[in-house]
Amino acid sequence: MKIDMSTRKTAPTYTESALKTIETEIHALDSLKVVLETSSFRLSLDRAIEAMARTHGRVIVSGMGKSGHIGRKIAATLRSTGTPALFLHPGEASHGDLGLITENDVVFAITWSGETSELGDIFHYCNRFGVTLIVATAWPKSTAARAADICLALPLVREACPNDLAPTSSTTLQLVLGDVLAVALIEARGFTPSDFRVFHPGGQLGAQLLAVDQVMGTDGAIPKVRREASLSSATIEMSRKRYGATAVVDEHDMLIGVFTDGDLRRCIAVHNLEDQIGLHMSPSPVTVRTGTLCSEALRIMNENAVSVIFVVDDGRLVGVAHMHDIVRTGIV
């Protein structure tokens, strides 16, 4: 279709249009919040979350058109947060892919109108084989709503589209509902950052979820001396290792202090190199526990202006990490 450029809007008008779109969608979300506070919706939402949490199979998400695109994102979010899920295209379902739905699965169908004919075969299949069907729709008396075991009745809102036609506000509500379900399932499953990393090993997100245990030096790589060691032997230990510091431990490998190259420079001119290290160590080394995220370890290092951090397990020295080790993971 040819566009008459003489009617093209000016930049300020575009800004006004953008603000109006945002305001319309915020109003839609406010409507969703109001609905969420009703006892009937709460009951349906609780049942939906419990069905998804208790299933021994997967959450099969389906939808057509724009609802389908939202469905794909919801399935992806569920997968990445510990709930096995996949998206099933209604058209493909009618041509053989219904076979991937098992009796242990839960089907979550998204249809704004509730009259999406392409979903019909999925509904019949769920009814025939006793598969739990959850439907999100704005029309609680629609065909889809009547077919559902659990209906999440969304508020009927105006689209941000000036013609009130293109799915905009409606898909925003669907997307937020998906996040509501996913976050509730995270809490229900006790899904932790460590669990999250299992599904996100790559990229900066993976780096942010990396534990210090996975970058620290261990065993023979740890610079350490006993309290009775001399300044001279501590200096040799620091030189042999690459951290610019050495831990000071007792006979049980419990961390009791740290001696850095800075400490050495400050005392070498005025002390005997045969002095015991226990006389010159810093008794409060900066430490983290095993399992601490690298991002948290880096924050602690920055706050304490140190470049080396020791990793302990109930006070026992188990590792050491340099700031460079953490930065190389791509966390910043």
Side-chain angles (χ1 to χ4, degrees):
M1 180 179 69
K2 186 176 181 180
I3 299 175
D4 183 359
M5 299 302 291
S6 65
T7 63
R8 188 175 180 179
K9 294 183 178 181
T10 62
T13 305
Y14 287 138
T15 301
E16 292 170 4
S17 174
L19 290 171
K20 184 178 179 181
T21 297
I22 293 170
E23 289 169 0
T24 302
E25 299 204 12
I26 288 175
H27 179 71
L29 289 173
D30 285 338
S31 298
L32 178 60
K33 184 178 178 181
V34 170
V35 168
L36 275 166
E37 293 172 345
T38 63
S39 58
S40 58
F41 193 93
R42 283 185 176 183
L43 177 61
S44 295
L45 184 65
D46 287 347
R47 290 178 61 205
I49 293 168
E50 288 174 6
M52 292 180 179
R54 293 177 180 176
T55 182
H56 296 294
R58 303 151 301 175
V59 176
I60 310 297
V61 186
S62 191
M64 196 69 188
K66 303 301 183 294
S67 296
H69 293 305
I70 298 298
R72 290 181 188 276
K73 190 274 178 185
I74 293 173
T77 300
L78 291 173
R79 283 195 301 272
S80 71
T81 52
T83 299
L86 56 83
F87 178 79
L88 173 61
H89 191 285
E92 299 297 336
S94 298
H95 294 275
D97 280 1
L98 282 171
L100 63 80
I101 303 175
T102 73
E103 60 183 10
N104 293 320
D105 295 330
V106 171
V107 171
F108 177 41
I110 308 169
T111 166
W112 187 252
S113 68
E115 300 297 341
T116 306
S117 59
E118 292 88 348
L119 289 167
D121 288 335
I122 294 177
F123 296 162
H124 294 316
Y125 188 91
C126 290
N127 178 261
R128 178 181 178 186
F129 293 101
V131 178
T132 299
L133 174 62
I134 303 168
V135 168
T137 178
W139 297 89
K141 295 183 179 180
S142 63
T143 300
R146 293 196 304 271
D149 297 298
I150 304 168
C151 179
L152 298 175
L154 297 171
L156 189 60
V157 296
R158 179 177 176 80
E159 302 289 7
C161 164
N163 300 314
D164 196 19
L165 294 174
T168 43
S169 302
S170 58
T171 49
T172 296
L173 294 194
Q174 293 170 342
L175 186 63
V176 171
L177 177 62
D179 289 342
V180 166
L181 295 170
V183 171
L185 288 168
I186 288 173
E187 295 171 351
R189 296 177 184 277
F191 198 72
T192 67
S194 296
D195 297 323
F196 198 74
R197 170 163 169 73
V198 172
F199 302 112
H200 300 78
Q204 190 175 41
L205 181 57
Q208 291 174 340
L209 296 168
L210 199 67
V212 70
D213 312 47
Q214 295 166 277
V215 301
M216 69 185 185
T218 60
D219 302 325
I222 304 174
K224 62 180 180 179
V225 294
R226 297 276 288 275
R227 184 199 301 266
E228 306 80 35
S230 65
L231 279 172
S232 176
S233 59
T235 301
I236 293 172
E237 179 70 354
M238 283 195 296
S239 300
R240 289 178 55 242
K241 309 297 169 63
R242 65 179 182 84
Y243 294 96
T246 183
V248 183
V249 298
D250 66 12
E251 63 273 18
H252 302 295
D253 249 10
M254 302 297 286
L255 182 64
I256 59 175
V258 60
F259 187 74
T260 69
D261 53 5
D263 294 326
L264 176 62
R265 286 192 297 273
R266 284 185 287 273
C267 73
I268 194 170
V270 294
H271 293 287
N272 190 326
L273 287 178
E274 295 309 311
D275 280 355
Q276 288 189 0
I277 196 67
L279 299 173
H280 305 289
M281 70 181 186
S282 298
S284 302
V286 179
T287 65
V288 292
R289 299 178 63 182
T290 53
T292 300
L293 294 181
C294 284
S295 56
E296 175 65 8
L298 186 60
R299 182 190 66 78
I300 293 171
M301 294 166 80
N302 285 326
E303 287 184 354
N304 289 275
V306 298
S307 59
V308 173
I309 198 163
F310 294 100
V311 184
V312 295
D313 186 1
D314 292 329
R316 185 175 64 86
L317 179 64
V318 295
V320 58
H322 195 282
M323 182 177 289
H324 292 164
D325 299 327
I326 296 175
V327 171
R328 274 196 294 268
T329 67
I331 197 170
V332 294

